Amino acid sequence: MFKLLKGGNKPSLLAAIVNTFIALLKMGAYLITGNVAMFAEMMHSFGDAANQFFVFIGSALSKKAPTPRFPNGFGRVVNLVCLGAVLIVGVLSYETIKEGIHHFLHPVETSGIAIVLGVLAISVVLELFVFYKAGKEILHEVGAEGKGVSVFTKSFTHLNQAKPATKLVYMEDFVATSGGILAIIAVLISYVTGFHKAEGIASVMIGLMMFYVVGRVFLENARGAIGETDEEMRAHISKIILKDENVKDIKSLNVVKEGESLHVETSLEVDHTLTVAEADDIRDRLSLLIYAQKDVSDVVIYFDEDNMTTDWQPLH
């Protein structure tokens, strides 16, 4: 178990620890001041901390080796965990929006402006740090480089290529950082202008941003749990296969995402005069090349005799 945990998603563990600390700070500030924007931020941070902890556990368990009972491995465990995690955020989003609407309809002036702003400022700085680390991890996963502000811009462009756990942390901390800034603005408007409904509006907006994360992460991990094809890698692997002079055609090729890994299964057409030993050499040669590709963890190759027609259509 300890070995599995060592292989867990590091940004999610860091985010879980930081968000737990932030949530406790916000809870103390909310109990002292009763500020509704602080309540929204507290709920958000507790939801993020719980999510990211479960995601860390799920990403670690997904690396467990296949067993006779589960021969395809546990790669999709991380998708299932992410699906469970977004349910927590969904409930907290609802509570945040409900509290925001209540405060909008029945605004109440809150005290302790210095405490509220101080805690929110600390939270934004810490969330920005985790957001930066998640961005660095995305760049590492896709083989890109970035420093300073470019980490934020480059990681955003590569977000769709990130692993499920890293993507969840990145999106949650983007919303957390944005929500913290929004809460600060709302508190300042309320304090300076006396428009206390601003805090309720901010709470609703933070809740809606959380719902956006819930929707997007749910859809992406639902596809992953069912088994989604990686079209980009499928096109890349088909080119590798067709470069082999002994492969006449590709009858079928599936590259399915198994959590953070890829499962490759293909049926190739070869000359019917090849011996079993020669076909086995082709399998070994191609397996080595495919295993060398990023995130590929399983390769299955079948052979069929050449039907003298081209079945495979090049992918772009």
Side-chain angles (χ1 to χ4, degrees):
M1 186 63 183
F2 180 71
K3 288 181 179 179
L4 286 174
L5 291 177
K6 284 180 66 178
N9 185 267
K10 300 299 188 298
S12 60
L13 177 61
L14 174 64
I17 295 170
V18 171
N19 275 296
T20 299
F21 174 73
I22 292 173
L24 293 173
L25 273 181
K26 291 176 179 176
M27 183 175 69
Y30 170 68
L31 292 175
I32 293 171
T33 65
N35 184 279
V36 70
M38 184 62 72
F39 173 81
E41 281 295 291
M42 177 194 74
M43 296 291 277
H44 190 181
S45 294
F46 271 124
D48 283 354
N51 265 352
Q52 290 153 353
F53 177 74
F54 284 122
V55 168
F56 169 71
I57 298 297
S59 66
L61 293 178
S62 70
K63 293 177 174 60
K64 181 176 171 61
T67 65
R69 187 176 179 184
F70 300 101
N72 290 330
F74 298 83
R76 298 187 194 184
V77 169
V78 67
N79 297 115
L80 296 174
V81 170
C82 286
L83 286 174
V86 296
L87 294 178
I88 299 173
V89 181
V91 172
L92 295 178
S93 302
Y94 167 76
E95 292 295 333
T96 301
I97 293 172
K98 186 175 76 172
E99 186 68 19
I101 293 173
H102 176 76
H103 187 83
F104 180 80
L105 296 175
H106 309 284
V108 178
E109 183 179 0
T110 54
S111 58
I113 185 72
I115 295 174
V116 171
L117 290 177
V119 169
L120 286 175
I122 292 171
S123 301
V124 168
V125 171
L126 292 175
E127 294 283 10
L128 195 61
F129 169 72
V130 176
F131 183 47
Y132 177 82
K133 287 292 186 182
K136 290 281 285 184
E137 184 66 17
I138 288 176
L139 295 182
H140 173 71
E141 290 174 359
V142 301
E145 293 184 0
K147 292 183 180 179
V149 179
S150 67
V151 170
F152 299 110
T153 55
K154 288 186 177 181
S155 60
F156 188 79
T157 60
H158 292 291
L159 182 59
N160 288 332
Q161 299 170 261
K163 294 179 179 179
T166 309
K167 187 183 294 185
L168 177 60
V169 173
Y170 184 88
M171 292 179 64
E172 284 189 338
D173 278 288
F174 172 73
V175 171
T177 305
S178 305
I181 295 171
L182 184 62
I184 290 174
I185 294 171
V187 170
L188 287 173
I189 291 174
S190 176
Y191 178 74
V192 174
T193 67
F195 182 64
H196 304 305
K197 291 184 177 181
E199 295 175 10
I201 295 172
S203 180
V204 172
M205 291 177 69
I206 292 168
L208 290 174
M209 286 192 295
M210 292 166 68
F211 262 127
Y212 171 75
V213 173
V214 167
R216 179 163 177 179
V217 173
F218 177 84
L219 290 174
E220 289 188 3
N221 284 280
R223 292 196 297 265
I226 295 170
E228 183 182 17
T229 297
D230 188 323
E231 293 291 352
E232 184 178 346
M233 187 60 78
R234 186 166 176 253
H236 176 63
I237 291 176
S238 70
K239 293 175 182 177
I240 293 174
I241 292 172
L242 291 173
K243 284 182 180 179
D244 192 293
E245 60 181 12
N246 292 115
V247 176
K248 305 301 182 182
D249 197 8
I250 299 176
K251 196 167 187 177
S252 65
L253 172 61
N254 295 312
V255 181
V256 180
K257 294 178 182 177
E258 296 281 354
E260 298 179 358
S261 303
L262 296 174
H263 172 83
V264 180
E265 184 171 318
T266 183
S267 177
L268 309 178
E269 293 184 4
V270 295
D271 194 309
H272 71 280
T273 61
L274 289 177
T275 66
V276 173
E278 288 171 331
D280 194 51
D281 289 340
I282 298 170
R283 190 198 313 275
D284 292 341
R285 185 167 62 247
L286 289 175
S287 293
L288 284 173
L289 289 172
I290 297 172
Y291 270 121
Q293 305 310 305
K294 188 174 180 291
D295 295 331
V296 173
S297 63
D298 187 34
V299 179
V300 179
I301 299 176
Y302 302 103
F303 291 112
D304 199 354
E305 65 176 313
D306 185 12
N307 59 10
M308 308 305 292
T309 60
T310 301
D311 299 315
W312 184 254
Q313 298 299 320
L315 301 171
H316 301 287

